[in-house]
Amino acid sequence: MRTLAALALIMMTNVAMADDLLHLEPGASLGEAIGLSATGNLRDLGGYETSEDRTVVRGLLYRSNVFNPMSQDDIAKLRLLALKTDYDLRTVQEIKIQPDQMPIRVQQVHLNVLADGQSAASAQLEALLHDPKKANAVLGGGRLEVHIKEGYREFVSLPSAQRAYQELFLSLADKSNLPAVFHCTTGKDRTGWAAAALLTLLGVPRETVMADYMRSNEYLLPDYRKTIQAFAAGGGERGIALAIFGVKREYLEAAFDEMQRSYGTIENYFSDGLGIDEDQQQVLREIYLQDSPRAK
């Protein structure tokens, strides 16, 4: 009887918590809300309003940083999201170092955005933090910011990025794969462009998209405060560490500039750059948009 009562209490608690998650401020950390130890940048992509008085549906699609390390308690809490698919945008090496730790039934799909790129991934850049003097020589004086902006342009132009994002968005247009999450290492760069591109296609205003992107600073920088301070104390330029672990408007603006320069509009980027035609784009809108309550 005690066991049954305990199970019933857990189920009631989970139902109440799941309901609370649907009422979080758009862009708020789900990782913090459900008490996960390692995924502070886990967020629902839903809740944002479009310029046509529609709202992005909650509880279908999430963005995140890496799911490692995850305790058994973390994995149990993650089941609240009822995830079916985990889209991992990292490199093979990144996955080897930190494989995702997910509930058993979640299908893991690896989409290597940077397979064809020369840009260093976040994990490689982080390695330089152990040698502040070398980091200053290689990345200091604004060189890292230039490097990062070029990397964001490659999210649009790189063949492997186009293949990865094509597969991601086409897969997200299949309801049988939902709810789903997509992520990279810190959940801000490769993940940031994926979220920004989809929200823009759905009609979310640019400033709202930018605000969602910038919230990565809120959820990531506190976790890396000690690392940033140690790097600066060792003689490293503080701005280097902040650039590696945080985001700036100009990074995402570089990706949008590349998209507009090459394709003109977000719709053309999806159709001509990713091979996702108008009908498939409309399927994404039908799945992820609903009438806004205030429009009724």
Side-chain angles (χ1 to χ4, degrees):
M1 291 295 290
R2 289 181 180 176
T3 302
L4 289 175
L7 288 172
L9 180 60
I10 291 171
M11 292 177 64
M12 290 174 63
T13 301
N14 286 352
V15 169
M17 185 176 291
D19 184 65
D20 289 342
L21 296 183
L22 294 176
H23 295 89
L24 281 177
E25 173 194 4
S29 170
L30 282 175
E32 292 180 359
I34 62 179
L36 298 181
S37 61
T39 52
N41 211 14
L42 170 62
R43 297 185 260 152
D44 195 327
L45 214 65
Y48 291 115
E49 294 191 359
T50 75
S51 55
E52 297 182 352
D53 287 327
R54 306 202 74 196
T55 302
V56 182
V57 178
R58 292 178 184 264
L60 282 184
L61 184 58
Y62 305 91
R63 55 175 294 173
S64 186
N65 51 320
V66 64
F67 292 91
N68 184 311
M70 296 281 284
S71 67
Q72 288 303 309
D73 185 52
D74 288 332
I75 293 173
K77 291 175 181 177
L78 195 59
R79 292 193 182 98
L80 285 170
L81 305 185
L83 294 173
K84 291 185 179 179
T85 316
D86 165 24
Y87 298 97
D88 192 332
L89 307 180
R90 297 177 296 160
T91 64
V92 173
Q93 184 64 17
E94 286 174 290
I95 293 172
K96 182 178 180 180
I97 293 171
Q98 276 189 300
D100 276 345
Q101 298 168 329
M102 301 288 287
I104 294 174
R105 292 181 177 82
V106 177
Q107 179 185 7
Q108 298 189 34
V109 180
H110 297 156
L111 303 172
N112 189 350
V113 171
L114 298 179
D116 297 334
Q118 300 298 316
S119 299
S122 296
Q124 294 169 293
L125 290 175
E126 288 175 30
L128 283 172
L129 295 180
H130 298 295
D131 190 342
K133 292 184 179 179
K134 182 178 180 181
N136 287 348
V138 175
L139 304 174
R143 287 186 289 274
L144 177 57
E145 284 78 1
V146 172
H147 171 85
I148 292 174
K149 284 189 282 188
E150 181 57 34
Y152 270 73
R153 291 183 179 277
E154 288 186 344
F155 295 157
V156 177
S157 63
L158 203 64
S160 60
Q162 292 172 348
R163 292 192 300 269
Y165 289 129
Q166 177 196 52
E167 185 172 344
L168 173 65
F169 294 131
L170 287 176
S171 186
L172 293 177
D174 183 345
K175 289 183 179 180
S176 68
N177 295 322
L178 307 176
V181 63
F182 59 90
H183 75 91
C184 49
T185 297
T186 52
K188 64 184 180 70
D189 301 317
R190 288 160 287 186
T191 297
W193 173 243
L198 181 57
L199 289 174
T200 301
L201 181 73
L202 296 178
V204 176
R206 176 69 61 85
E207 277 307 307
T208 303
V209 172
M210 183 63 71
D212 177 76
Y213 169 76
M214 292 297 295
R215 291 198 76 165
S216 283
N217 285 336
E218 180 180 342
Y219 304 125
L220 292 174
L221 292 180
D223 291 339
Y224 292 104
R225 183 178 292 111
K226 290 183 179 179
T227 301
I228 294 169
Q229 291 174 342
F231 178 75
E237 292 182 22
R238 185 178 180 85
I240 292 175
L242 290 174
I244 289 174
F245 294 120
V247 294
K248 293 183 179 180
R249 290 180 63 95
E250 52 261 41
Y251 300 161
L252 186 58
E253 286 170 350
F256 274 119
D257 179 73
E258 183 70 18
M259 180 272 291
Q260 291 168 337
R261 185 184 65 83
S262 299
Y263 303 105
T265 66
I266 193 68
E267 291 81 9
N268 287 345
Y269 165 64
F270 270 75
S271 61
D272 300 340
L274 304 183
I276 300 174
D277 63 29
E278 291 182 8
D279 290 340
Q280 294 164 324
Q281 293 176 35
Q282 186 57 30
V283 170
L284 287 167
R285 296 186 186 97
E286 291 171 356
I287 291 174
Y288 295 103
L289 291 177
Q290 62 185 9
D291 290 337
S292 178
R294 70 180 186 181
K296 295 181 180 178

